[in-house]
């Protein structure tokens, strides 16, 4: 058995905004590496492998977790950390990037469907309205009607990425008090590194590019600095903040607020890369922000309810001292950004 944390809007929004900034900065940090000719899957593998390396002390400290919660660790590594990105990149090889990203960000919608249809729980109208607004705003932001070319296989792969993104919200909320969220992320990154290796073929990675100075926002930055940023900030810290937000806001609400990630990515690209928006795209960004605002109202500012005892993802087990007892880590935990 595990204890579900009390929902709390204020701290949850802080975590959500931090996650949006961390995830949203991934595209900006990756762009110089991609422009230098590095394969997208190589950049993805660097992210998860670097995060696994940085979080290795956490994995060592919680070495019993894979033995106690093997399915949670495996699922977290395969679904949100490796699945989202692998399926997304496979989709963009067949359909336009904007369409693939819009379909992938149907993940929060699938979370609402899961709670309403599978778990038969009431979904807040504010969460539904907020997610619908966010999806509509994303469509405007990406101008998905331009150059539409829908390949059935590509659409299927993008839907797979959406399901994997939904898995991020659901699995993060189900870590429970007997599994330190940061430890789950550490082992998940290790699993993702192994799973993506055959696809990314890191032995063919252009390692020399990392030693080059690459342009970013009018300055020259070492490729290694960008790789470290992707691993530490855009992966390790981003997942940590994302899990913190989900456990404080609930998967349904956090899914709607997560659309701010797209807005922060656009804003950072405008500031650092000089990429600007037209009028329609600006309107889309505003609609996303409105949708995120409406969604977060579904959580009371301070929950007064007692924590609910719920069944964890894996068999019931008491937390061991090595895993932090009954405490849940307050910090550190996967659009293309995940």
């Amino acid at each position: 058995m595990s204890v579900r944390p009390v929902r709390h809007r204020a701290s949850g929004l802080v975590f959500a905004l931090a996650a949006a900034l961390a995830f949203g900065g991934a595209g900006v940090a990756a762009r110089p590496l991609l422009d230098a000719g590095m394969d997208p899957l190589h950049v993805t593998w660097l992210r998860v492998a670097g995060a696994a390396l940085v979080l290795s002390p956490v994995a060592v400290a919680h070495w019993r977790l894979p033995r106690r919660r093997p399915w949670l660790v495996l699922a977290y590594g395969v679904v949100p950390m490796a699945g989202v990105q692998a399926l997304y990149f496979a989709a963009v090889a067949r359909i336009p990037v904007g369409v693939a990203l819009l379909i992938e960000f149907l993940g929060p919608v699938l979370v609402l469907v899961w709670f309403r249809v599978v778990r038969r729980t009431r979904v807040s109208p504010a969460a539904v309205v907020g997610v619908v607004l966010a999806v509509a705003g994303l469509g405007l932001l990406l101008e998905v009607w331009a150059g539409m070319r829908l390949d059935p296989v590509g659409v299927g792969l993008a839907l797979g990425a959406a399901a994997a993104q939904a898995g991020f919200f659901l699995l993060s909320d189900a870590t429970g008090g007997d599994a330190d969220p940061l430890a789950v992320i550490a082992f998940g990154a290790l699993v993702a590194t192994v799973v993506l290796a055959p696809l990314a073929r890191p032995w063919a990675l252009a390692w020399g590019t990392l030693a080059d100075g690459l342009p970013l926002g009018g300055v020259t930055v070492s490729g290694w600095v960008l790789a470290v940023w992707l691993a530490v900030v855009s992966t390790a810290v981003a997942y940590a903040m994302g899990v913190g937000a989900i456990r404080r806001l609930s998967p349904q609400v956090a899914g709607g607020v997560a659309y701010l990630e797209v807005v922060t990515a656009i804003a950072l690209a405008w500031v650092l890369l000089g990429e600007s928006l037209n009028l329609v795209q600006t309107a889309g960004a505003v609609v996303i922000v409105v949708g995120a605002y409406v969604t977060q109202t579904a959580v009371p500012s301070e929950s007064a309810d007692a924590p609910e005892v719920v069944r964890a993802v894996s068999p019931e087990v008491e937390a061991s001292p090595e895993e932090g007892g009954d405490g849940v880590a307050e910090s550190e935990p996967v659009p293309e950004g995940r």
Side-chain angles (χ1 to χ4, degrees), residues 102-119:
L102 177 62
I103 295 175
E104 179 196 329
F105 260 81
L106 291 177
V109 178
L110 297 181
V111 171
L112 297 180
V113 173
W114 172 270
F115 273 91
R116 188 67 187 93
V117 176
V118 179
R119 295 182 57 174

Side-chain angles (χ1 to χ4, degrees), residues 229-308:
W229 180 275
L230 284 170
V232 176
V233 178
S234 296
T235 305
V237 173
Y239 275 93
M241 296 297 103
V243 170
I246 291 165
R247 292 181 63 78
R248 288 163 176 79
L249 297 175
S250 83
Q252 308 99 303
V253 176
V257 180
Y259 283 95
L260 289 176
E261 176 186 329
V262 182
V263 178
T264 58
I266 296 297
L268 290 172
W270 172 53
V271 173
L272 296 177
L273 302 178
E275 298 179 356
S276 59
L277 303 180
N278 59 34
L279 184 60
V280 173
Q281 291 172 318
T282 302
V286 171
V287 173
I288 290 175
V289 173
V290 172
Y293 173 78
V294 172
T295 300
Q296 61 86 30
T297 62
V299 179
S301 58
E302 185 77 49
S303 176
D305 298 331
E308 176 189 3

Side-chain angles (χ1 to χ4, degrees), residues 138-216:
L138 185 61
L140 293 173
L141 184 63
L142 298 175
E143 295 186 326
V144 294
W145 55 85
M148 189 80 75
R149 180 175 60 86
L150 296 182
D151 175 85
V153 176
V155 172
L157 291 168
L159 285 172
Q165 188 191 67
F168 166 67
F169 296 107
L170 296 173
L171 287 170
S172 296
D173 193 55
T175 52
D178 64 322
D180 188 304
L182 188 57
V184 175
I185 295 161
F187 283 106
L190 180 60
V191 170
T193 300
V194 175
V195 169
L196 289 175
L199 297 173
R201 300 171 62 246
W203 50 87
L205 195 151
W207 295 98
T209 302
L210 298 178
D212 295 338
L214 304 175
L216 176 64

Side-chain angles (χ1 to χ4, degrees), residues 28-49:
V28 172
R31 173 58 66 82
L33 295 172
L34 297 173
D35 289 346
M38 187 170 287
D39 186 271
L41 273 176
H42 285 166
V43 176
T44 300
W45 187 85
L46 279 174
R47 285 184 63 185
V48 294

